[in-house]
Amino acid sequence: MRRSMAILVVAALAVSTASPAVAHRAAAQDLYPAVGAGTSFLDHTGLLGDVPEPAWYEANIAFVDLPDREIRDTYYYRWKSYREALKYTGPKDGWIVSEFLGPVGYSAPNGGIVAAAGHHVYEGRWLRDHRYLDDYVDYWLRGSGSGPKPATDFLNKNTTDWAHQYSFWAADAVAARAAVDGRSRFATDRLPELIRQWQRWSPQFDAGLGLYWQTPVWDAMEYTVSSYQSPDPYHGGDGFRSTLNAYQYGDARAIAQLLRARGDAAGARQYDQAADALRTAQERWLWDSNAQFYKHVMRDGNPGRTKLADREAIGFVPWYFHMAPASNSAAWAQLTDPQGFAARFGPTTAERRSPWFMRDALNGCCRWNGPSWPYATSQTLTALANLLIDYPAQPYVSRADYLSVLRGYALTQRKNGAPYVAEAHHPDEDRWIYDGRGHSEDYNHSTFNDNVLSGLLGIRPQLGNEVQIAPLAPSTWDYFAAENVPYHGHNLTVLWDRTGSHYGKGAGLRVWVDGQLRHVQSGLSAVRLPIPQRGDGELPELVDDFANVSQTGYPTARASYSYSADPPTKAIDGQDFHLDVPGTRWTTWTSPNSEDWLEVDLGAPAPVSDLRVTFYDDGGGVRVPATYDLRYRTPDGQWRDLPGQRRSPATPVARAVNRILVEPAVTTDRVRILPRRADGGAVGITAFSSWRAPVRGLTASLPESVQVRAGASVETTTTVTASRSLAGVRAGLAVPAGWTAVALTPASTSRLLPGRALVTRWRVTAPAELPLGESAPVRVLATASGDSGTSTAVASAQSAFDPADFAAVVWDDTFDTDRLGSYRVDGPFNEATPGFQVSGGALTASAASRSGAVLSAPVAGDARGTAVVVEPRSFAGSAPEDSLFLGQIAGNRDFALAWFNNAGKASGVDVTVGGVRRGDEATGGCCAALSFSSGDRLAAVLGDGRLTSWIEHDGRWSLLRSAPIGNAVDPAVVAGWAPGLGLRLDAGALVIDRLTVLRRA
């Protein structure tokens, strides 16, 4: 074979830094976006106070000065809490904005929750670094957040994708964001996805009424006043609500606006007409002209479409989207009515007149029938600002009311006298009532800073090249300022000085653009000002190769020692904050060692050129190190100091980024950091990352998974595609230690033209000892001459199940004869046993109501590995239970079973030992998506302390779940349990063609 046809990429690739193929000079990007020309009237350091990484705020936020200290301090606190909520999920999805700082079981992949995504975009649109929201918007529209989810009751049985799990005003938020950063192209490029997002609510559209219905809990509101008047107070009765209908109205208007910006007038008319129809229907069915308020209308058992008597704060939402007509402004009288929504720590989420007000609200989370929720308060404030600025004058509320509600909202965000936001607050008492330790801290479920900037200070963003300034701040205030607001690629400063004595720049209102005074006026009346068209302000793409939010698979982290509450994986979890609870750090607290190391294992080699470390310092037992070493693993397994380090700062600092540029870059599979204190004390790291710039205009891809067998070879393909003309394009395939990859076709080209691809076929060989179900990363590395970046993509090389590897047949029941008497019938579900019948070469389990049992075969498992394979003929079609269970069982109190739920299209693992149900440490978490077709087979394989579950489609077995059951029960004990087949259904009949139990020969 010619040399060009045989490129070998060996595991643990850490080629000498003299090799031009893998060692090149990295073009260091700035750590933060450049602020550019602006003003410097305010004391930024004093306003920020003691925040970690102050340089991030200096680069990203608008600095605000207010005479109201509570609002001002809350403003800076909310930027701190928003910074904490920024989570880097990995190269696929990049940045997301989290709701909770810690993970929750009902989130989308990598921890996204769409419930407050509209708030996240409205708040984050004021950041100078646009990459956070670029990634986050794409996460919901194009990435993992737009992907399929199980249609289960726990995850919303009404919808099948994560972006519709909760109500979401996607297009409106994207357009609102474009109005701030001026990057309309980003928004219009996503019109196909925004339109798809809007259309996918159609299953919840009632054509007869012309309105959408929603279940209150999937409006992100449990136990509402309307919910209490349904048979299901937690979820709430499905109803026509002014939430989803207003969101769909706002999205239709935004889509029309973006279509017009793209020159599609006809398409815009279609969505404007849809919005007009929604507004007409809402006025007809949801507006109560007697009560002067929008109300919930039950969908079921309500043929007359009678409105509920109670007012809820969601009735203000139509003004958020300019949906409500001016003639309905009387609704706002309820905001300040003591029997309406007025409260010292309000507004309340339900009017006080309601007999359901605060029902059970103090008896556990989470009631929306009166408590003050920041989610609702921020919506109400946005709606109120729209009313006061964009609608005709009305007598019901005033600018003073806006300030009063905003100030009350700021005072709500306190705990022990310091700024703090949790889930919900008592409306009349100075205390949070829904505030779980390790769960609710700095809860990112609302806006505040957007209400300050666009409401109180009246910076009203526009899609065109202008800005409206219409402050709601009182003219009696002596001063206020918003300095260097990132707006359309410029810095906008708005300064009010009533007498001219506070800032010394003259009396009245002044506006600067990029440090140049552009407007002066004596009062606070609204004004529109032109803004110069922006140039190319796009920031370069960067990827962190160390990040692993799920803390499973690769990359992974290990350490010589870790305090029990601070595992090494927390240092690469994509988040960087310095709270004690919840924590996101690795520490060596209580270590007996004089020094310790933290190691990141990439699984397969990648270039390392821009390392960043944030050290934890609690001022007590864990302190910033005096120095640290950085090492990498060479191909022969040795650890060497990383060459060519350029550190900034030279000496380690706490609570700020310590950056290490490696020049030239080194390609390796493992990196270690060894931080040391002079006194040998404990150290800690909140974030350890390795940032890489892809080649501009070059994308790399390969199949998502490569199935292999131990010691065998398999072929795969890499594709490197250019969007601009590039010279000297090369592709490499990096594989883990013990693996090899050989190129079978050319892996380089002298020039790659736009739209063309370099496709390379590879032979990948796995090591002889490879556990079943184990996944290892395979990484394509693509480079081009004249560009310092590396474009990569990662696939999972997986040891796949093959029944041929389990040649010994232990039990095989084709149900041609009735052998039911041979099985032991177990009842681990504590339910009625289904009716079982064997006939016509099939086993049928039938039931009229919830039933379930496990048929345990009259054989034992095997310590070398046991495979239980089933061939279903048909499922029952019942819901929510229409499930099969496969695994091993020793009665009702001891079992390890993979479950396959056809109704919910999901699969997972249940482990119970001694009657105690075990959690994620034994099951591996929940859940995998399941898509079953006629003719598919299902399998569970137990061995080596793991249970792996599989589905075979068109002759190919695919892994569903891998559960470390050995963490809960000795594998030798499991080997003695009986292989079992469980059947569970709510009604109908489950039919099975064959059950086979195999073991390794």
Side-chain angles (χ1 to χ4, degrees), residues 52-53 571 576-578 584-587 596 598 611-619 622-630 647-660 673-677 682-689:
E53 199 179 347
D576 182 7
F577 53 81
H578 300 258
T584 175
R585 60 177 179 255
W586 164 75
T587 73
D596 285 290
L598 171 70
L611 294 171
R612 303 178 189 182
V613 189
T614 308
F615 292 109
Y616 178 70
D617 190 325
D618 63 7
V622 181
R623 303 305 302 269
V624 65
T627 186
Y628 60 92
D629 293 336
L630 282 165
R647 299 185 178 189
S648 178
T651 302
V653 294
R655 305 173 77 219
V657 175
N658 295 263
R659 191 182 193 192
I660 307 95
I673 184 169
L674 298 88
R676 292 187 297 275
R677 282 172 53 180
V683 295
I685 291 174
T686 63
F688 189 27
S689 55

Coordinates of all heavy atoms in Angstrom, one line a residue, residues 52-53 571 576-578 584-587 596 598 611-619 622-630 647-660 673-677 682-689:
P52 N -16.6 37.1 41.9 CA -15.5 36.3 41.3 C -15.3 36.8 39.8 O -16.3 37.2 39.2 CB -16.0 34.9 41.3 CG -17.1 34.9 42.3 CD -17.7 36.2 42.3
E53 N -14.1 36.8 39.3 CA -13.8 37.1 37.9 C -14.4 38.4 37.5 O -15.2 38.5 36.6 CB -14.3 35.9 37.0 CG -13.7 35.9 35.6 CD -14.2 34.8 34.8 OE1 -14.9 33.9 35.3 OE2 -13.9 34.8 33.6
A571 N -14.9 19.6 38.4 CA -14.0 20.6 37.8 C -14.2 20.7 36.3 O -13.7 21.7 35.7 CB -12.5 20.3 38.1
D576 N -18.8 27.3 36.5 CA -17.7 27.9 37.2 C -18.3 28.8 38.2 O -18.6 30.0 37.9 CB -16.7 28.6 36.3 CG -15.5 29.1 37.1 OD1 -15.4 28.9 38.3 OD2 -14.7 29.9 36.5
F577 N -18.7 28.4 39.4 CA -19.2 29.3 40.4 C -18.6 28.8 41.8 O -18.0 27.8 41.9 CB -20.7 29.4 40.5 CG -21.4 28.1 40.6 CD1 -21.6 27.5 41.8 CD2 -22.0 27.6 39.5 CE1 -22.3 26.3 41.9 CE2 -22.8 26.4 39.5 CZ -22.9 25.7 40.8
H578 N -18.7 29.7 42.8 CA -18.0 29.5 44.0 C -18.9 29.4 45.2 O -18.6 29.9 46.3 CB -17.0 30.7 44.2 CG -16.0 30.8 43.1 ND1 -14.7 30.4 43.2 CD2 -16.1 31.2 41.8 CE1 -14.1 30.6 42.0 NE2 -14.9 31.1 41.2
T584 N -19.5 23.2 42.8 CA -19.0 22.7 41.5 C -17.5 22.8 41.5 O -16.9 23.6 40.7 CB -19.7 23.6 40.3 OG1 -19.1 23.2 39.1 CG2 -19.5 25.0 40.5
R585 N -16.9 22.0 42.3 CA -15.5 22.1 42.5 C -14.9 20.8 42.9 O -15.5 19.9 43.4 CB -15.2 23.2 43.6 CG -15.7 22.8 44.9 CD -15.4 23.7 46.0 NE -16.0 23.3 47.3 CZ -17.1 23.9 47.8 NH1 -17.7 24.9 47.2 NH2 -17.6 23.5 48.9
W586 N -13.6 20.7 42.6 CA -12.8 19.6 43.2 C -11.9 20.2 44.2 O -11.3 21.3 44.0 CB -11.9 19.0 42.1 CG -10.7 18.2 42.6 CD1 -10.8 16.9 43.1 CD2 -9.4 18.5 42.6 NE1 -9.6 16.5 43.5 CE2 -8.6 17.4 43.2 CE3 -8.6 19.7 42.2 CZ2 -7.3 17.5 43.4 CZ3 -7.3 19.7 42.4 CH2 -6.6 18.6 43.0
T587 N -11.8 19.6 45.4 CA -10.8 20.0 46.4 C -10.1 18.8 47.0 O -10.5 17.7 46.9 CB -11.5 20.8 47.6 OG1 -12.3 19.9 48.4 CG2 -12.4 21.9 47.1
D596 N -1.1 16.9 45.5 CA -2.1 16.1 44.8 C -2.2 16.5 43.4 O -1.8 17.7 43.0 CB -3.5 16.1 45.5 CG -3.5 15.3 46.7 OD1 -3.5 14.1 46.6 OD2 -3.6 15.9 47.8
L598 N -4.9 16.6 39.7 CA -6.1 16.4 39.0 C -5.8 16.1 37.6 O -5.1 16.9 36.9 CB -7.0 17.7 39.1 CG -8.3 17.8 38.3 CD1 -9.3 16.8 38.8 CD2 -8.8 19.2 38.3
L611 N -5.3 26.4 27.9 CA -5.8 25.9 29.2 C -6.2 27.0 30.1 O -5.5 28.0 30.2 CB -4.8 25.0 29.9 CG -4.4 23.7 29.2 CD1 -3.2 23.1 29.9 CD2 -5.5 22.7 29.1
R612 N -7.3 26.8 30.8 CA -7.8 27.8 31.8 C -8.2 27.1 33.1 O -8.9 26.1 33.1 CB -9.0 28.6 31.2 CG -8.6 29.2 29.8 CD -9.8 29.9 29.2 NE -9.5 30.4 27.8 CZ -10.3 31.0 27.1 NH1 -11.5 31.4 27.5 NH2 -9.9 31.4 25.8
V613 N -7.8 27.7 34.2 CA -8.0 27.2 35.5 C -8.5 28.3 36.4 O -8.0 29.4 36.4 CB -6.7 26.6 36.1 CG1 -7.0 25.9 37.4 CG2 -5.9 25.8 35.2
T614 N -9.6 27.9 37.1 CA -10.1 28.8 38.2 C -9.9 28.1 39.5 O -10.5 27.0 39.7 CB -11.6 29.2 38.0 OG1 -11.7 29.7 36.6 CG2 -12.0 30.3 39.0
F615 N -9.1 28.7 40.4 CA -8.8 28.1 41.7 C -9.9 28.5 42.7 O -10.4 29.7 42.7 CB -7.5 28.5 42.2 CG -6.3 27.9 41.4 CD1 -5.6 28.7 40.6 CD2 -6.1 26.5 41.4 CE1 -4.5 28.2 39.8 CE2 -5.0 26.0 40.7 CZ -4.3 26.8 39.8
Y616 N -10.3 27.6 43.6 CA -11.2 27.8 44.6 C -10.5 28.2 45.9 O -9.4 27.7 46.2 CB -12.0 26.6 44.9 CG -13.0 26.7 46.0 CD1 -14.2 27.5 45.9 CD2 -12.8 26.0 47.2 CE1 -15.1 27.6 46.9 CE2 -13.8 26.1 48.3 CZ -14.9 26.9 48.1 OH -15.8 27.0 49.1
D617 N -11.0 29.2 46.6 CA -10.4 29.7 47.8 C -11.5 30.1 48.8 O -12.2 31.1 48.5 CB -9.5 30.9 47.5 CG -8.6 31.3 48.7 OD1 -9.1 31.2 49.9 OD2 -7.5 31.7 48.5
D618 N -11.7 29.3 49.8 CA -12.8 29.7 50.8 C -12.3 30.5 51.9 O -13.1 30.8 52.9 CB -13.4 28.4 51.3 CG -12.5 27.5 52.1 OD1 -11.4 27.9 52.4 OD2 -12.9 26.4 52.4
G619 N -11.1 31.0 51.9 CA -10.6 31.8 52.9 C -10.3 31.1 54.2 O -9.9 31.7 55.2
V622 N -9.2 25.7 52.4 CA -8.9 25.5 51.0 C -8.4 26.9 50.5 O -9.2 27.8 50.5 CB -10.0 25.0 50.2 CG1 -9.6 24.8 48.7 CG2 -10.5 23.7 50.8
R623 N -7.2 27.0 50.0 CA -6.6 28.3 49.6 C -6.0 28.1 48.2 O -5.7 27.1 47.7 CB -5.6 28.8 50.6 CG -6.0 28.9 52.0 CD -7.3 29.8 52.2 NE -7.1 31.1 51.6 CZ -6.7 32.2 52.4 NH1 -6.4 32.0 53.6 NH2 -6.6 33.4 51.8
V624 N -5.8 29.3 47.6 CA -5.2 29.3 46.3 C -3.7 28.8 46.4 O -3.0 29.0 47.4 CB -5.2 30.7 45.7 CG1 -4.3 31.7 46.5 CG2 -4.7 30.7 44.2
P625 N -3.3 28.0 45.4 CA -1.9 27.4 45.5 C -0.9 28.5 45.2 O -1.2 29.5 44.6 CB -1.9 26.4 44.4 CG -2.9 26.8 43.4 CD -4.0 27.5 44.2
A626 N 0.3 28.2 45.7 CA 1.4 29.1 45.5 C 2.0 28.9 44.1 O 2.5 29.9 43.4 CB 2.5 28.9 46.5
T627 N 1.9 27.7 43.6 CA 2.3 27.4 42.2 C 1.6 26.1 41.7 O 0.9 25.5 42.5 CB 3.9 27.2 42.2 OG1 4.3 27.0 40.9 CG2 4.2 25.9 43.0
Y628 N 1.8 25.8 40.5 CA 1.3 24.5 39.9 C 2.1 24.1 38.7 O 2.7 24.9 38.0 CB -0.2 24.7 39.6 CG -0.5 25.8 38.5 CD1 -0.5 25.5 37.1 CD2 -0.7 27.1 38.9 CE1 -0.8 26.5 36.2 CE2 -0.9 28.1 37.9 CZ -1.0 27.8 36.6 OH -1.2 28.7 35.6
D629 N 2.1 22.8 38.5 CA 2.7 22.2 37.3 C 1.6 21.7 36.4 O 0.5 21.3 36.8 CB 3.6 21.0 37.7 CG 4.8 21.5 38.5 OD1 5.2 22.7 38.4 OD2 5.4 20.6 39.3
L630 N 1.9 21.7 35.1 CA 1.0 21.1 34.1 C 1.8 20.0 33.3 O 2.9 20.3 32.8 CB 0.5 22.2 33.2 CG -0.6 23.1 33.7 CD1 -0.8 24.3 32.9 CD2 -1.9 22.3 33.8
R647 N 2.0 31.8 30.9 CA 1.0 31.9 31.9 C 0.6 33.3 32.1 O 1.4 34.2 32.2 CB 1.4 31.3 33.2 CG 1.8 29.8 33.1 CD 2.1 29.2 34.4 NE 2.4 27.8 34.4 CZ 2.5 27.0 35.4 NH1 2.5 27.5 36.6 NH2 2.7 25.7 35.2
S648 N -0.7 33.5 32.3 CA -1.3 34.8 32.7 C -2.4 34.7 33.7 O -3.4 34.1 33.3 CB -1.8 35.6 31.4 OG -2.3 36.8 31.8
P649 N -2.2 35.1 34.9 CA -1.0 35.8 35.5 C 0.1 34.7 35.8 O -0.2 33.5 35.8 CB -1.5 36.4 36.8 CG -2.6 35.5 37.2 CD -3.3 35.1 35.9
A650 N 1.3 35.2 36.0 CA 2.4 34.3 36.2 C 2.2 33.6 37.6 O 2.7 32.4 37.7 CB 3.7 35.1 36.2
T651 N 1.7 34.2 38.6 CA 1.4 33.6 39.9 C -0.1 33.3 40.0 O -0.9 34.1 39.7 CB 1.9 34.6 41.0 OG1 3.3 34.9 40.8 CG2 1.7 33.9 42.4
P652 N -0.4 32.2 40.5 CA -1.9 31.8 40.6 C -2.7 32.8 41.4 O -2.2 33.3 42.5 CB -1.8 30.4 41.3 CG -0.5 29.9 41.1 CD 0.5 31.1 41.0
V653 N -3.9 33.1 41.0 CA -4.8 33.9 41.7 C -6.1 33.2 41.9 O -6.4 32.3 41.1 CB -5.1 35.2 40.9 CG1 -3.8 36.1 40.9 CG2 -5.6 35.0 39.5
A654 N -6.8 33.5 42.9 CA -8.1 32.9 43.2 C -9.3 33.6 42.5 O -9.2 34.8 42.3 CB -8.3 32.8 44.7
R655 N -10.3 32.9 42.2 CA -11.6 33.4 41.8 C -11.5 34.3 40.5 O -12.2 35.2 40.3 CB -12.3 34.2 42.9 CG -12.4 33.5 44.2 CD -12.9 34.3 45.3 NE -14.3 34.6 45.2 CZ -14.9 35.8 45.5 NH1 -14.2 36.8 45.8 NH2 -16.2 35.9 45.3
A656 N -10.5 33.9 39.7 CA -10.3 34.5 38.4 C -9.6 33.5 37.5 O -9.1 32.5 37.9 CB -9.4 35.8 38.5
V657 N -9.7 33.8 36.2 CA -9.1 32.8 35.2 C -7.6 32.9 35.2 O -7.0 33.9 35.0 CB -9.7 33.1 33.8 CG1 -9.0 32.1 32.8 CG2 -11.2 32.8 33.8
N658 N -7.0 31.7 35.4 CA -5.5 31.6 35.2 C -5.4 30.9 33.9 O -5.8 29.7 33.7 CB -4.9 30.7 36.3 CG -5.0 31.4 37.7 OD1 -4.1 32.0 38.1 ND2 -6.2 31.2 38.4
R659 N -4.7 31.6 32.9 CA -4.7 31.1 31.5 C -3.3 30.6 31.2 O -2.3 31.3 31.5 CB -5.1 32.2 30.6 CG -5.4 31.8 29.2 CD -5.7 32.9 28.3 NE -6.3 32.5 27.0 CZ -6.5 33.3 26.0 NH1 -6.2 34.6 26.1 NH2 -6.9 32.9 24.8
I660 N -3.2 29.5 30.5 CA -1.9 28.9 30.1 C -2.0 28.7 28.6 O -2.7 27.8 28.2 CB -1.6 27.6 30.8 CG1 -1.7 27.8 32.4 CG2 -0.2 27.2 30.4 CD1 -3.0 27.4 32.9
I673 N -2.9 18.6 36.2 CA -2.4 19.8 36.9 C -2.1 19.4 38.4 O -2.8 18.6 39.0 CB -3.5 20.9 36.9 CG1 -3.0 22.2 37.5 CG2 -4.8 20.4 37.5 CD1 -3.9 23.4 37.3
L674 N -1.0 20.0 38.9 CA -0.5 19.7 40.2 C -0.4 21.0 41.0 O 0.7 21.6 41.0 CB 0.8 18.9 40.2 CG 0.8 17.5 39.5 CD1 1.1 17.7 38.0 CD2 1.9 16.6 40.1
P675 N -1.4 21.5 41.6 CA -1.3 22.7 42.4 C -0.7 22.4 43.8 O -1.0 21.4 44.4 CB -2.8 23.1 42.5 CG -3.6 21.9 42.4 CD -2.8 20.9 41.6
R676 N 0.1 23.4 44.2 CA 0.8 23.1 45.5 C 0.8 24.4 46.3 O 1.0 25.5 45.8 CB 2.2 22.7 45.3 CG 2.4 21.3 44.7 CD 3.9 20.9 44.6 NE 4.6 21.8 43.8 CZ 4.8 21.7 42.5 NH1 4.1 20.7 41.9 NH2 5.5 22.5 41.8
R677 N 0.5 24.2 47.6 CA 0.7 25.3 48.6 C 2.0 25.2 49.3 O 2.5 24.1 49.5 CB -0.5 25.3 49.6 CG -1.8 25.9 49.1 CD -2.9 25.7 50.0 NE -2.7 26.1 51.4 CZ -3.6 26.0 52.4 NH1 -4.8 25.5 52.1 NH2 -3.3 26.4 53.6
A682 N -4.7 22.2 51.7 CA -5.6 21.8 50.6 C -5.8 22.9 49.6 O -5.7 24.1 49.8 CB -7.0 21.5 51.3
V683 N -6.1 22.5 48.4 CA -6.3 23.3 47.2 C -7.6 22.9 46.6 O -8.2 21.8 46.8 CB -5.2 23.3 46.2 CG1 -3.9 23.9 46.8 CG2 -5.0 21.9 45.7
G684 N -8.1 23.7 45.7 CA -9.4 23.4 45.0 C -9.4 24.1 43.6 O -8.8 25.1 43.4
I685 N -10.2 23.5 42.7 CA -10.4 24.0 41.4 C -11.9 24.0 41.0 O -12.5 22.9 41.2 CB -9.6 23.2 40.3 CG1 -8.1 23.4 40.5 CG2 -10.0 23.6 38.9 CD1 -7.3 22.6 39.6
T686 N -12.5 25.1 40.7 CA -13.9 25.2 40.3 C -14.1 24.9 38.8 O -15.1 24.5 38.3 CB -14.5 26.5 40.6 OG1 -13.9 27.6 39.9 CG2 -14.4 26.8 42.1
A687 N -13.0 25.2 38.0 CA -13.1 25.0 36.5 C -11.7 24.7 36.0 O -10.8 25.4 36.2 CB -13.8 26.2 35.8
F688 N -11.6 23.7 35.1 CA -10.4 23.4 34.4 C -10.9 23.1 32.9 O -11.7 22.2 32.7 CB -9.7 22.1 35.0 CG -8.4 21.8 34.5 CD1 -7.6 22.8 33.9 CD2 -7.9 20.5 34.5 CE1 -6.3 22.5 33.5 CE2 -6.6 20.2 34.1 CZ -5.8 21.2 33.5
S689 N -10.4 23.9 32.0 CA -10.9 23.8 30.6 C -9.8 23.9 29.6 O -8.7 24.4 29.9 CB -11.9 24.9 30.4 OG -11.4 26.2 30.6

